[in-house]
Amino acid sequence: MIPLDIFADPVCPWCLIGKLELDRALESRPLHPFQIAWHPFRLNPQMPRGGMDRIEYLHAKLGPRSQEASRAVAERAAALGLNLNPSPREPDTTDAHRLMHWAGLESAQTRVMSGLMRAHWQEARDIGDAAELALIAGAAGMDADMVARLLASDADRDEIAAREQHARNRGISSVPTFIVANQHAISGAQPASLWQQIVDELATAPK
């Protein structure tokens, strides 16, 4: 297996698009060699714990470009068969990344990331809310009650901050960022055709 490390945040719109494109490619190449691991990288590390109104957040971050940027994401998602209904709250995703960390211990990361993105982008749910995170964990096959107890504590909060800082120290400054085989960095929401090409090239590479 070849490691595919993905640095992403579930509230990052281009992480959503990037995952949709990657999923489409891997579905068409079921014998792909990738062993996927997700790594924390908060899009908004200074976000208050309670989050903030999404419209206010977009205006503060993007100014007059906010509507144009949202429309571009919605159009790209629609082209991939996904209609967006995002949460009215822009959350602090620290707890979502803690959940992803615990999901990694149970080989449930991709299921949990799918659940987080679906909740935020399609179901208008607040993934900064511990109760919502426990429900997402349970739907992915994790112990929802255990996750709720962990979220009520500060377990692994420092671990998430340290891993994110390590990524920034390595030069990762935007998401999504994909690292193939611990060597090759690919940034941005790449089309499925690129991932198909990579899988095909890996399949024919000398062993």
Side-chain angles (χ1 to χ4, degrees), residues 62-75:
L62 301 173
R65 297 185 297 111
S66 61
Q67 288 188 339
E68 179 184 346
S70 295
R71 184 164 55 250
V73 171
E75 289 174 354

Side-chain angles (χ1 to χ4, degrees), residues 10-95:
V11 299
C12 162
W14 296 109
C15 294
L16 170 71
I17 301 300
K19 183 178 182 300
L20 289 172
E21 295 279 12
L22 177 63
D23 287 347
R24 177 169 292 190
L26 298 187
E27 286 169 5
S28 73
R29 301 292 191 274
L31 299 180
H32 69 84
F34 291 136
Q35 183 172 2
I36 295 173
W38 296 85
H39 301 276
F41 195 101
R42 290 170 297 171
L43 194 62
N44 310 298
Q46 306 306 320
M47 180 67 68
R49 280 203 181 187
M52 63 185 295
D53 179 82
R54 174 178 169 77
I55 301 301
E56 291 180 8
Y57 160 76
L58 289 174
H59 279 303
K61 188 176 181 71
L62 301 173
R65 297 185 297 111
S66 61
Q67 288 188 339
E68 179 184 346
S70 295
R71 184 164 55 250
V73 171
E75 289 174 354
R76 181 81 178 267
L80 293 167
L82 189 71
N83 293 319
L84 301 186
N85 177 35
S87 170
R89 298 291 296 174
E90 190 69 18
D92 169 21
T93 56
T94 302
D95 284 349

Side-chain angles (χ1 to χ4, degrees), residues 61 132 145 169 187:
K61 188 176 181 71
E132 293 286 5
D145 291 337
N169 292 344
S187 298

Side-chain angles (χ1 to χ4, degrees), residues 127-146:
I127 62 170
D129 181 81
E132 293 286 5
L133 291 174
L135 288 173
I136 291 166
M142 299 177 67
D143 184 331
D145 291 337
M146 176 64 74

Side-chain angles (χ1 to χ4, degrees), residues 100-109 111 137 140-143 146-147:
M100 284 293 291
H101 173 67
W102 303 324
L105 305 177
E106 300 186 25
S107 301
Q109 277 194 318
R111 294 195 302 275
M142 299 177 67
D143 184 331
M146 176 64 74
V147 167

Side-chain angles (χ1 to χ4, degrees), residues 162-198:
R163 289 178 60 192
E164 181 179 304
Q165 188 58 52
H166 178 65
R168 294 182 187 276
N169 292 344
R170 291 174 61 190
I172 295 171
S173 59
S174 63
V175 287
T177 294
F178 305 84
I179 308 293
V180 180
N182 299 313
Q183 299 179 50
H184 308 291
I186 301 171
S187 298
Q190 300 297 331
S193 58
L194 175 73
W195 290 110
Q196 290 167 336
Q197 178 183 342
I198 291 171

